[in-house]
Amino acid sequence: MSCGVALAVSLLLSDPNVALSAAQPTVAADAPVSVASEPLFADIVARSGALHGEVQGWLAAGAGDQAGFFTGPAFSRFKSQASELAALDLQGHLILKERGTDNDLKCILRGISEDIPLKVAAVEAAPTPAERRVALDELAYLLNDNVEVITAPPAPAS
């Protein structure tokens, strides 16, 4: 028995993960690659998730109905972070465009980068508590969508 075969057999018998990984189907060379683990895209996911959680907290607490909320430090910080996130989304769009990718993520990131400032402005401009809740809910949805489009498994080209 050759040394390579003996080593393979001993690994198979000693670590069940080796046998499991050997049983996995091979990935096609032209399979789409997820960008979710790349630093820029992971940062977008983390920031968007944090901002989404903040908006959800405001919705639960009725913070948008409190006097002075939109001129206070929490919302000012949020606006700044949302603006930074929009810029990162646009940067992600440009990176994917430069790579020559022909997928939906490139276009979705550009749309999100354009929509974030509009949704934040809609929250500020909403004249009634009911309209503010709707605007906050739409902002939360957009921030969550930002996470999901990046972390979703890439679809094969059609």
Side-chain angles (χ1 to χ4, degrees):
M1 180 182 302
S2 75
C3 292
V5 172
L7 177 63
V9 169
S10 68
L11 286 174
L12 283 171
L13 295 174
S14 65
D15 186 358
N17 291 323
V18 173
L20 180 63
S21 67
Q24 299 298 317
T26 58
V27 177
D30 61 346
V33 178
S34 173
V35 296
S37 62
E38 294 180 25
L40 172 69
F41 297 98
D43 188 26
I44 291 171
V45 167
R47 289 175 186 234
S48 194
L51 292 177
H52 174 260
E54 198 165 347
V55 173
Q56 289 293 89
W58 293 341
L59 282 164
D65 299 339
Q66 298 171 5
F69 175 74
F70 295 109
T71 58
F75 193 75
S76 294
R77 181 189 45 73
F78 177 87
K79 278 178 52 174
S80 176
Q81 291 176 344
S83 179
E84 291 171 9
L85 177 61
L88 290 175
D89 278 314
L90 184 59
Q91 185 179 356
H93 159 79
L94 293 173
I95 286 171
L96 294 175
K97 183 178 178 181
E98 185 178 298
R99 289 180 187 173
T101 60
D102 188 26
N103 62 19
D104 292 338
L105 181 58
K106 171 181 66 177
C107 297
I108 292 169
L109 289 176
R110 180 174 178 169
I112 290 173
S113 75
E114 294 169 353
D115 286 348
I116 288 174
L118 297 175
K119 297 296 182 188
V120 171
V123 168
E124 288 180 295
T128 67
E131 289 173 303
R132 277 191 295 278
R133 267 190 294 285
V134 169
L136 282 168
D137 193 46
E138 289 177 359
L139 178 58
Y141 179 83
L142 180 65
L143 292 167
N144 187 57
D145 193 38
N146 202 11
V147 170
E148 290 181 352
V149 297
I150 293 173
T151 59
S158 50

